[in-house]
């Protein structure tokens, strides 16, 4: 057996003085070699004096990452900081520095627990480390809410609250609910174009534009409608009906649900599903209410970073377990490569599954990049479902 | 104060080897002042599906993970790639004493991705102009890299060609 890749990460923590830790991290792998040094205040876990060094890197621009490491100065390295590190150090500087920084933050927290236990032992010599932590589960680290705040998780506002209530115990709402939401009769003789896949803030924590902004942009660029497909989120029919009236624009509901086989767009299914659901189970529940399951970006990330060298043919792709359980395939998705969309198109054609398109927009700049055009005007979620089931639609490049 | 004596040390190593024509084995080992752990996955090509997993975890103060093997086996069948972390977390659970194992499964998966990345990067020319062209082409082919790090940030040289083409298409 031949070693193909190796990554070693080493983190050391020393105590500089009464109040300060000195952290040194090294990441050395087959591609990169980088180092981090910084200080951490023992009392509040706030870091400072971050310095990075590259020893090996890839692109000519990688050295620029060092400038942005300073943005993490002042971060409090309490539990839950990892996402903030990914979003700042990872996005602005380099994901590999972020990876090492997260290891260093873990090491800092563990060290502070150890130091606080050692202090406690001076007064209570028989106190074991485990007993100390059982008494004080955070090891003397102040709770996050009294420390410099970590970027808050965005929570949906009341106006967009999901339709769960009495149905959250497993019951499902009827597809007939879909008829609540309709259009005022706008028509387009060249085809009726709907962006079937987009996200809004705060319903999708990863999105950055509000639903009103997304609707305005969709209307401005000439789409006939949009379908709100926030992650594991069910829009209230009343809220969506109000949005339609407010903007005089077709707004429909979908849901992008995470399964063990990847993300699935579901139409005509309004159960609040949280966590990971098995695709087979999701299909069963959606079918029970007459809904429609579309495999969202089914090859996202398959054909990048050399994965296209591994020999994934259309035939092999068609044999994937996922395609036994879906009714359609998203063959134009705005967040994947042309090659990945191309493979999805081949699979949909090979398996005779309905093909759809959607922008997967998370902000207004990409609304409508791809969409789905329907043969006939769509006025409600019921009509959308019928058109999808009859295959009276096709994906289009719109913007 | 003995400030040159370490209070805490951590060493995490991830290695990936090819075990046959269609299978990679990725192993992540962790040893730190409180922890001794290992996770190994086997990933089948071409669709990078996890087909086997094993692991152990010993920790000084966390309670033993009950049904550790059962928890690990839940990730069998998932695909290494975009969106995998939320699936791994969702399937294995987010208990406090499982955090390290979940992280190590993720590290194993990153090892697989980086193995494939390395093969692509080996094709980069040595000269600066060639490298520049190579990475400009890479970001055009893999649009998800755009504005995701300093190297491919908006308005920077490696994405200039991409931005010019996008601007041209919009115009």
């Amino acid at each position: 057996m031949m070693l193909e890749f190796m990554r070693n990460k080493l983190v050391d923590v020393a105590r500089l003085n009464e109040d300060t830790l000195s952290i040194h991290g090294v990441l050395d792998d087959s591609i990169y070699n980088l180092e981090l040094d910084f200080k951490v205040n023992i009392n509040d876990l706030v870091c400072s004096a971050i310095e990075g060094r590259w020893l090996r890197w890839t692109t000519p621009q990688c050295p620029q990452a060092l400038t942005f490491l300073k943005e993490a100065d002042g971060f409090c390295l309490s539990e839950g900081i990892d996402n903030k590190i990914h979003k700042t150090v990872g996005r602005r500087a380099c994901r590999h520095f972020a990876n090492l920084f997260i290891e260093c933050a873990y090491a800092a927290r563990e060290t502070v627990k150890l130091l606080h236990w050692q202090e406690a032992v001076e007064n209570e010599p028989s106190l074991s480390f485990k007993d100390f932590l059982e008494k004080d589960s955070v090891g003397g680290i102040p709770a996050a809410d009294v420390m410099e705040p970590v970027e808050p998780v965005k929570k949906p506002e009341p106006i967009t609250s999901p339709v769960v209530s009495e149905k959250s115990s497993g019951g499902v709402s009827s597809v007939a609910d879909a008829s609540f939401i309709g259009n005022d009769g706008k028509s387009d003789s060249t085809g009726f174009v709907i962006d079937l896949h987009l996200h809004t803030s705060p319903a999708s924590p990863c999105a950055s534009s509000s639903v009103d902004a997304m609707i305005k942009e969709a209307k401005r660029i000439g789409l006939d409608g949009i379908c709100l497909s926030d992650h594991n989120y069910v829009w209230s029919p009343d809220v969506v009906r109000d949005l339609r009236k407010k903007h005089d624009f077709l707004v429909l509901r979908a849901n992008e649900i995470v399964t063990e086989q990847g993300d699935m767009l579901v139409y005509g299914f309004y159960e609040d599903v949280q966590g990971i659901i098995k695709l087979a189970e999701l299909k069963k529940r959606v079918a029970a209410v007459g809904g429609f399951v579309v495999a969202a970006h089914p090859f996202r990330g398959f054909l990048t970073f050399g994965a296209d060298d591994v020999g994934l043919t259309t035939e092999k792709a068609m044999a994937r377990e996922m395609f036994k359980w879906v009714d359609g395939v998203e063959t134009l998705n705005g967040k994947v490569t042309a090659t990945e969309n191309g493979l999805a198109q081949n699979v949909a054609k090979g398996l005779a599954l309905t093909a759809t398109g959607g922008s997967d927009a998370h902000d207004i700049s990409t609304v409508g990049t791809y969409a789905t055009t329907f043969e006939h005007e769509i006025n409600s979620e019921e009509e959308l479902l019928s058109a999808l089931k009859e295959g009276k639609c096709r994906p289009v490049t719109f913007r | 104060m003995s400030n040159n004596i370490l209070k805490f040390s951590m060493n995490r190593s991830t290695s990936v080897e090819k075990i046959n024509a269609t299978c990679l084995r990725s192993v992540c080992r962790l040893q730190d002042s409180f922890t001794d752990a290992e996770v190994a996955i086997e990933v089948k090509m071409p669709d990078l599906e996890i087909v086997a997993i094993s692991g152990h975890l010993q920790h000084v103060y966390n309670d033993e993970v009950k049904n550790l093997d059962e928890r690990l086996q839940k990730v069998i069948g998932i695909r290494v790639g975009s969106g995998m972390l939320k699936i791994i977390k969702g399937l294995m659970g987010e208990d406090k004493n499982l955090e390290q194992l979940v992280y190590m499964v993720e590290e194993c998966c990153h090892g697989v991705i980086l193995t494939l990345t390395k093969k692509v990067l080996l094709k980069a020319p040595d000269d600066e102009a060639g490298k520049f062209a190579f990475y400009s082409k890479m970001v055009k082919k893999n649009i998800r890299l755009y504005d995701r790090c300093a190297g491919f940030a908006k308005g920077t040289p490696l994405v200039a060609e991409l931005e010019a083409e996008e601007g041209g298409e919009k115009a």
Side-chain angles (χ1 to χ4, degrees), chain B:
Chain B
M1 186 158 293
S2 54
N3 62 9
N4 56 348
I5 303 298
L6 296 179
K7 291 293 181 185
F8 184 88
S9 304
M10 190 206 87
N11 197 337
R12 194 190 302 273
S13 175
T14 305
S15 55
V16 182
E17 58 193 10
K18 195 170 187 174
I19 52 176
N20 60 46
T22 60
C23 216
L24 293 173
R25 177 179 164 82
S26 181
V27 184
C28 180
R29 299 174 183 88
L30 168 68
Q31 190 160 39
D32 69 31
S33 301
F34 308 141
T35 319
D36 182 88
E38 178 175 309
V39 170
I41 64 170
E42 288 181 20
V43 173
K44 192 179 163 199
M45 312 254 237
D47 48 6
L48 304 182
E49 185 179 315
I50 298 174
V51 292
I53 186 165
S54 60
H56 75 258
L57 172 68
Q58 285 180 295
H59 196 273
V60 167
Y61 62 79
N62 277 343
D63 290 334
E64 187 183 345
V65 178
K66 287 175 183 163
N67 310 320
L68 183 144
D69 190 56
E70 193 181 313
R71 294 290 192 100
L72 288 170
Q73 298 306 315
K74 287 180 186 289
V75 304
I76 296 283
I78 74 163
R79 196 184 72 78
V80 174
S82 303
M84 65 187 174
L85 181 57
K86 64 185 174 186
I87 299 175
I88 293 169
K89 276 185 179 170
L91 291 172
M92 286 181 67
E94 298 193 47
D95 314 13
K96 183 75 190 147
N97 58 357
L98 260 182
E99 274 179 9
Q100 193 55 251
L101 273 182
V102 169
Y103 186 79
M104 290 174 74
V105 173
E106 189 192 357
E107 285 284 288
C108 286
C109 295
H110 283 151
V112 171
I113 293 168
L114 287 165
T115 301
L116 299 169
T117 307
K118 188 185 100 176
K119 289 180 179 171
V120 173
L121 299 179
L122 283 169
K123 297 172 187 168
D126 289 332
D127 64 292
E128 289 305 306
K131 268 189 189 172
F132 191 90
F134 178 86
Y135 288 108
S136 295
K137 190 178 168 190
M138 178 188 262
V139 69
K140 277 162 68 180
K141 188 179 174 193
N142 303 310
I143 193 67
R144 280 192 303 279
L145 296 176
Y146 177 62
D147 204 28
R148 286 302 180 103
C149 66
F152 297 119
K154 277 180 190 166
T156 56
L158 288 174
V159 302
E161 205 174 304
L162 171 70
E163 288 175 338
E165 285 177 12
E166 293 264 311
E169 277 174 21
K170 279 172 188 167

